Amino acid sequence: MKLLSMVIVGFPLVVNAQTADTTGNGALISQAMDHSEVMQNLAYLSDAIGPRLSGSPAMRKANDWTAQRFRDYGLTASLEEYSFGPAWSRGPLSAQLTAPFTRQINAWSWAWTAGTGGRPAEGRVIRIDATNADSLAKYVGRVRGAWVMQRPSSEIWNPDGPDMTARDSARVRDIAERARLERARLDTSAVAVEQRRQFSVDAPYILKRAGALGVITDGGKEFGLATMSGSPNRISPLPNIVVAHEDYTMLERMLKGGRAPRFSATITNTMGTRPVSQWNTVAEIRGAKRPGEVVILGAHLDSWDIAEGTTDNGTGSMVVLEAARILARSGVRPDRTIRFILFSGEEEGLLGSRAYAAAHARDADSVQAVLVLDNGTGMITGQALQGRDQDSTLWRQLLTPVVPLGVRTLRSARKTGTDHLSFEPYGVPAWNFDQMTRGYNHTHHSQVDTFDHAVESDLKQASAVMAVTALELANYPTLLARGAKTPVTPIKFGVPSPGLK
């Protein structure tokens, strides 16, 4: 899931006349709040299975374990296979600043990037502009024997410093606005988009051919936290290591001050050579009256691998598992089938949910809705309407029973970065719940994404909200209006241009 940044706007929820059937909601809420198993399941996922990088044995172990947990709760469950791309595994890494003084540097390999073959790669550090092919071309003659910084450091306000002044705030807003305008000026034609995509694939091959030792990437967070990412869509033959923001800015200052920093790293990673299969865990409670129509509750089960993957997204996936338990144990009989999907491959580009949506495209018009949870441990606060503002009255009705649990806000906004997006091109109404932040912007993709940060009361509340809204949508009198159907962009695994590989 992408870093979460939101401002709640819109209109508060109020209790009003309803058409949604709320029968059984009391039993669901009681089961969620008084008999929860969400924390024991989350503890097992975090501490026994651990990080679940897609393509790893741990990811398959998580698929098998969650399928069995669904069966333990009385559901049918299976694994649905898709082709993922080559597997990658992280090996040992050590990194040091070797000049102008010597110091150990904490660092992590960007995923799906090469190592150094277990041998030290030592050289000077330089800063280049690699935003496009033209800018990179100006620097290729300078990169031989160098560790390369490709971008300026992230704009992060010193959390230990004074509060922002009005001038500081204006400067930060100006930086963001200039970045927005730069993006808006980009050519959006199909040819230009494909050229930019291809350049992002080619750039590390160009740098490697020019003799660069590797890339250094800003961790992008305070207090030494890293932000991990990577994908088999963008395999790099060049080492790329993430360092703390504070170390990245140190290197920037050294370069600006003429202090000639040097850097050394020894990295052992393993890259697969052919696509591997991955799986989504799929379970369901069959509908009593309209079993061919489906409400989907979803979350991604995969994670990054530099911590336990608890808040991104062990919490969301265990809430979906808990919602299934709640619905099964409460004895309610939904009219429509309620399907629970724990996706893999989300972190690499929504690969699991995109594969699922494509495989089930012919059934898209029978999917009532998709509800996804993927913003950390925080309680559900409301719903972003995802461009479907016409559904504001519906969502007021759906959420009225859980207003006492703190669900109070609707907003006219679109959320990006997670699995609900995979269903939109097929016209399926799909949403990702808003949640209380609870430090998610720090734990997300970082080495502190651990069980310590899970909040039990929030996860109980989120389980209740997902179970209640799923049942209401399963029993809603009619199918929701379809959204516009748009062309589905095929998944492209990056292949370097001829002559680069």
Side-chain angles (χ1 to χ4, degrees):
M1 171 68 189
K2 290 181 180 177
L3 198 64
L4 176 65
S5 178
M6 66 170 67
V7 177
I8 299 296
V9 294
F11 39 89
L13 285 166
V14 294
V15 178
N16 59 2
Q18 301 184 79
T19 57
D21 183 358
T22 61
T23 304
N25 284 345
L28 298 180
I29 293 171
S30 174
Q31 186 67 225
M33 305 307 290
D34 301 329
H35 306 283
S36 178
E37 296 183 13
V38 68
M39 291 302 282
Q40 69 187 57
N41 284 329
L42 181 61
Y44 187 89
L45 182 70
S46 298
D47 296 339
I49 296 177
R52 304 164 301 282
L53 185 67
S54 292
S56 70
M59 184 65 235
R60 178 55 193 260
K61 185 177 180 180
N63 285 132
D64 290 336
W65 175 74
T66 51
Q68 186 56 51
R69 291 305 283 157
F70 280 120
R71 295 185 194 109
D72 293 341
Y73 295 142
L75 283 72
T76 59
S78 61
L79 304 186
E80 292 200 11
E81 184 177 4
Y82 66 95
S83 181
F84 171 73
W88 177 87
S89 61
R90 182 185 309 281
L93 184 155
S94 64
Q96 299 83 32
L97 180 71
T98 59
F101 53 83
T102 302
R103 181 166 76 80
Q104 191 77 19
I105 299 289
N106 290 327
W108 298 263
S109 286
W110 193 261
W112 278 272
T113 63
T116 64
R119 299 178 297 274
E122 198 273 346
R124 70 192 192 284
V125 177
I126 66 171
R127 167 79 167 84
I128 70 171
D129 181 355
T131 53
N132 55 55
D134 291 337
S135 63
L136 178 58
K138 299 175 183 177
Y139 291 94
V140 291
R142 297 176 47 197
V143 302
R144 182 167 297 278
W147 283 93
V148 175
M149 301 166 68
Q150 300 182 100
R151 302 283 187 274
S153 59
S154 305
E155 187 66 28
I156 295 178
W157 187 253
N158 181 1
D160 298 318
D163 292 338
M164 279 188 174
T165 64
R167 179 178 294 181
D168 294 327
S169 297
R171 181 176 62 83
V172 172
R173 287 196 301 271
D174 180 63
I175 291 170
E177 179 62 12
R178 279 189 278 119
R180 186 191 69 78
L181 291 173
E182 188 64 32
R183 290 192 299 270
R185 282 192 289 267
L186 290 174
D187 186 345
T188 57
S189 67
V191 171
V193 170
E194 174 59 22
Q195 286 175 340
R196 289 195 294 273
R197 187 198 70 82
Q198 189 62 50
F199 171 70
S200 70
V201 173
D202 289 346
Y205 289 87
I206 295 169
L207 289 169
K208 181 177 176 63
R209 187 173 64 175
L213 296 179
V215 173
I216 300 174
T217 295
D218 184 357
K221 295 179 180 178
E222 310 98 323
F223 304 118
L225 297 175
T227 305
M228 182 49 54
S229 194
S231 174
N233 293 0
R234 300 287 188 273
I235 290 172
S236 172
L238 193 66
N240 183 344
I241 63 173
V242 180
V243 302
H245 172 72
E246 294 86 348
D247 288 333
Y248 198 87
T249 55
M250 175 190 70
L251 293 170
E252 278 188 323
R253 292 192 306 274
M254 288 177 174
L255 288 169
K256 289 176 182 178
R259 294 183 174 86
R262 294 182 68 83
F263 189 85
S264 177
T266 304
I267 310 165
T268 304
N269 295 329
T270 303
M271 188 87 69
T273 59
R274 63 186 66 186
V276 299
S277 290
Q278 285 297 274
W279 296 267
N280 299 315
T281 305
V282 182
E284 67 180 35
I285 298 172
R286 187 168 175 81
K289 296 180 180 179
R290 285 170 277 189
E293 297 176 5
V294 180
V295 174
I296 293 175
L297 296 190
H300 73 87
L301 183 59
D302 65 304
S303 78
W304 289 113
D305 60 331
I306 60 174
E308 293 182 303
T310 298
T311 68
D312 190 16
N313 187 33
T315 47
S317 55
M318 292 303 94
V319 164
V320 168
L321 175 63
E322 176 68 1
R325 187 197 67 81
I326 292 164
L327 287 157
R329 293 281 168 84
S330 65
V332 298
R333 294 291 305 279
D335 290 349
R336 294 180 178 87
T337 295
I338 302 179
R339 187 168 295 155
F340 308 86
I341 309 178
L342 303 182
F343 301 106
S344 61
E346 190 272 351
E347 297 292 8
E348 293 74 38
L350 315 184
L351 301 183
S353 58
R354 291 175 69 180
Y356 178 90
H360 295 266
R362 68 179 62 185
D363 302 321
D365 286 342
S366 64
V367 178
Q368 171 77 313
V370 174
L371 306 178
V372 166
L373 194 69
D374 185 15
N375 292 146
T377 190
M379 64 179 281
I380 291 174
T381 57
Q383 188 62 274
L385 291 170
Q386 204 64 18
R388 295 179 59 98
D389 289 14
Q390 70 272 21
D391 292 327
S392 61
T393 298
L394 166 70
W395 272 102
R396 289 185 184 200
Q397 296 166 2
L398 296 175
L399 295 177
T400 291
V402 290
V403 167
L405 298 181
V407 185
R408 302 183 182 277
T409 309
L410 290 177
R411 62 189 183 114
S412 178
R414 291 186 60 86
K415 295 180 72 175
T416 61
T418 193
D419 292 305
H420 66 296
L421 299 179
S422 298
F423 295 87
E424 288 187 341
Y426 303 92
V428 176
W431 293 277
N432 174 26
F433 286 104
D434 282 342
Q435 295 174 252
M436 186 176 288
T437 305
R438 294 289 197 206
Y440 178 67
N441 288 351
H442 297 289
T443 61
H444 139 288
H445 290 217
S446 83
Q447 69 272 34
V448 296
D449 189 2
T450 61
F451 185 79
D452 308 73
H453 296 283
V455 179
E456 181 173 7
S457 58
D458 285 3
L459 299 179
K460 289 180 177 180
Q461 183 261 17
S463 304
V465 174
M466 288 200 90
V468 164
T469 51
L471 182 63
E472 289 174 322
L473 285 165
N475 292 344
Y476 201 73
T478 59
L479 273 173
L480 304 186
R482 305 291 90 182
K485 294 185 179 181
T486 58
V488 178
T489 304
I491 298 171
K492 289 188 176 181
F493 291 93
V495 177
S497 297
L500 287 179
K501 191 168 184 180

